[in-house]
Amino acid sequence: MFVSQPEFEFPFPPGLTHPGSQHWRVVELTLHAPWFLLSVEIADGEHPDCRITRTLCIAWDTDLAELVSTMEPNRVKGIVCMMPAWQSATGQWTSREISEVWRCRSATGHSIALVDTAGERFDGGMVSDHEQPIERDLVLRIEPTKQRQRHRTIPSRRTRRAKARKVSA
């Protein structure tokens, strides 16, 4: 689903990367189907108090479900489903923030269902219809985080100068 060309390889310093890994400046989508961004918190093995967030690009909903089913749920910081232009009212790629991942089974097969943060259940549009009854198993639920303060008041230059004069007086 993702492909790159040799001219887009990024020469990353060998001591700062995993052996055998390659880094790319540009990747291309070979199929216009939904795909996912999975953000996961990773603890540094040498420094347990140090945590970083890694974001993975995942091509298939089945791979997403398999991967998150093997993780501690609190390590998952977010999932975004990238929706192709043919599934968008604007005719452009769009995104949906995911709050739940479900495995579904029926007599007609298996699929993955997703629930976005607005509570709307959907699939990637690449699934045949299930027959009733449908068994659903919750794979992951991401608990909503508290709203972060988006705007921080930054004092104007005039306010900073006035404060500086008070301190020096």
Side-chain angles (χ1 to χ4, degrees):
M1 172 116 167
F2 305 106
V3 66
S4 192
Q5 302 300 319
E7 64 266 21
F8 297 124
E9 186 170 5
F10 181 76
F12 215 75
L16 299 177
T17 187
H18 296 298
S21 66
Q22 294 174 293
H23 298 261
W24 304 98
R25 297 184 331 254
V26 176
V27 294
E28 178 183 350
L29 295 170
T30 58
L31 182 63
H32 284 254
W35 60 279
F36 304 89
L37 293 165
L38 170 65
S39 295
V40 181
E41 187 176 70
I42 307 291
D44 185 329
E46 295 177 15
H47 307 285
D49 293 339
C50 180
R51 297 184 182 281
I52 61 168
T53 299
R54 292 181 61 199
T55 301
L56 309 172
C57 297
I58 301 172
W60 304 112
D61 56 1
T62 52
D63 292 332
L64 172 71
E66 183 61 32
L67 191 55
V68 298
S69 71
T70 65
M71 298 179 172
E72 297 173 32
N74 63 338
R75 287 186 47 212
V76 176
K77 297 303 169 192
I79 302 172
V80 174
C81 180
M82 299 302 299
M83 304 297 290
W86 60 268
Q87 286 186 309
S88 165
T90 65
Q92 296 295 320
W93 281 90
T94 60
S95 64
R96 294 173 83 167
E97 190 175 351
I98 305 302
S99 62
E100 296 177 1
V101 177
W102 293 79
R103 282 194 180 106
C104 303
R105 287 182 300 286
S106 73
T108 56
H110 302 274
S111 68
I112 303 300
L114 306 163
V115 177
D116 64 16
T117 54
E120 185 177 334
R121 182 181 296 266
F122 70 101
D123 59 50
M126 311 280 284
V127 178
S128 59
D129 290 333
H130 280 286
E131 291 179 6
Q132 296 295 334
I134 301 171
E135 290 181 39
R136 290 184 175 91
D137 296 316
L138 180 64
V139 178
L140 176 73
R141 177 176 289 129
I142 301 172
E143 297 302 324
T145 56
K146 293 180 183 174
Q147 285 286 59
R148 294 183 180 97
Q149 184 179 357
R150 293 186 186 267
H151 301 288
R152 198 178 74 173
T153 305
I154 300 172
S156 69
R157 191 176 303 167
R158 186 179 304 157
T159 305
R160 288 191 302 260
R161 274 190 245 140
K163 285 183 181 179
R165 283 194 298 267
K166 281 185 182 179
V167 170
S168 62

